[in-house]
Amino acid sequence: MTIPTIHQSWQTALATEWAAPYFLTLTDFIRHAYLKATPPVYPHPKNLFNTLNLCPLQSVKVVILGQDPYHGAGQAHGLAFSVPTSQPTPPSLKNIFKELQTDTNTPLRTNPNLTDWAEQGVLLLNATLTVYAHQPASHQGKGWETFTNRIIQLVSALDRPVVFILWGRSAQAKVPLIDQTRHLILSSPHPSPLSAYKPGPGLASHFFGSKPFSKTNAFLLGSGQIPIDWVNQLVGNQ
């Protein structure tokens, strides 16, 4: 099994987690799951902490929360909602790109690899970082949620405003971890085809028309930060 690496900023900030009983149990489970190889586990271990490596703690300006990795071969590469350029665009991401196009009045993005977002400070974080092939949610409840909750808390503790984009009820459940007095929280139904066209209980609006991208950039500009180039497709095309 390839040993995953993690950016030093996160290595230091998460120092108390590595020896925590829950994380040792999680590590043991994940190691055996990868080594067993049947069914395969996604993403490849080299991409396990991809979002943390591409987006150091001090660089985080936006957090987009997903649930767990894609469970098809070749899809998951450690960034929520993203797939490698060689893969077809998943349905939820297609809807994200449709909203991006109408929200920002820009050409429709076609590259499903969101590495360029991560490199600009968008933390694309799944609540669960691994999954068995073709078994969605199969690694939930193993300890990943405790780990990723800690990541959310660390971002919330930053000394500058951050935008948290919460699509769907699972993501909205993380609101108590966020300091709402300092950060902007944008919530709407999930971009999945099953929910994108209708409002969800307790959610502010439909996904379509919620304008998360322009609202994010307006907030970043208002707090003296550089906005995100959401449509840039020249970075991270590999």
Side-chain angles (χ1 to χ4, degrees):
M1 171 183 168
T2 303
I3 304 299
T5 59
I6 187 168
H7 191 274
Q8 186 59 51
S9 64
W10 291 106
Q11 187 77 254
T12 301
L14 293 163
T16 58
E17 306 303 301
W18 311 125
Y22 87 89
F23 196 82
L24 295 176
T25 300
L26 171 64
T27 300
D28 188 59
F29 167 76
I30 296 301
R31 182 184 297 113
H32 283 87
Y34 272 118
L35 291 175
K36 185 171 61 176
T38 305
V41 174
Y42 302 133
H44 188 282
K46 71 178 181 182
N47 291 324
L48 186 57
F49 298 124
N50 202 15
T51 190
L52 303 182
N53 286 322
L54 290 169
C55 188
L57 177 57
Q58 65 270 19
S59 300
V60 178
K61 296 190 288 188
V62 183
V63 179
I64 297 180
L65 294 178
Q67 195 161 355
D68 63 347
Y70 294 116
H71 52 82
Q75 290 185 300
H77 66 144
L79 302 175
F81 294 103
S82 176
V83 296
T85 304
S86 59
Q87 291 288 316
T89 304
S92 291
L93 190 54
K94 284 184 178 179
N95 284 339
I96 290 170
F97 288 168
K98 288 178 184 177
E99 175 62 16
L100 171 61
Q101 180 184 33
T102 57
D103 180 12
T104 59
N105 192 28
T106 51
L108 181 67
R109 178 173 174 131
T110 57
N111 182 7
N113 186 337
L114 304 181
T115 293
D116 57 298
W117 291 9
E119 291 177 337
Q120 295 179 76
V122 181
L123 187 68
L124 297 161
L125 181 67
N126 280 316
T128 303
L129 299 188
T130 55
V131 68
Y132 282 127
H134 311 301
Q135 296 181 32
S138 53
H139 286 186
Q140 290 182 10
K142 303 296 184 181
W144 277 129
E145 294 88 347
T146 302
F147 181 72
T148 54
N149 282 353
R150 181 60 183 147
I151 291 173
I152 295 169
Q153 290 173 321
L154 287 168
V155 174
S156 180
L158 290 173
D159 60 0
R160 67 176 185 283
V162 173
V163 181
F164 289 83
I165 298 177
L166 310 180
W167 289 325
R169 282 178 287 181
S170 294
Q172 263 212 328
K174 307 297 183 180
V175 166
L177 303 173
I178 303 166
D179 183 349
Q180 300 177 60
T181 66
R182 298 191 302 114
H183 305 299
L184 175 64
I185 297 176
L186 299 175
S187 63
S188 75
H190 196 275
S192 161
L194 296 175
S195 55
Y197 291 92
K198 57 185 180 182
L203 295 173
S205 66
H206 295 72
F207 172 75
F208 289 115
S210 60
K211 300 185 180 299
F213 306 102
S214 60
K215 289 178 180 178
T216 292
N217 279 353
F219 181 81
L220 292 175
L221 282 169
S223 60
Q225 301 181 72
I226 299 172
I228 306 299
D229 181 356
W230 300 104
V231 186
N232 172 22
Q233 302 184 68
L234 301 178
V235 183
N237 285 347
Q238 303 305 312

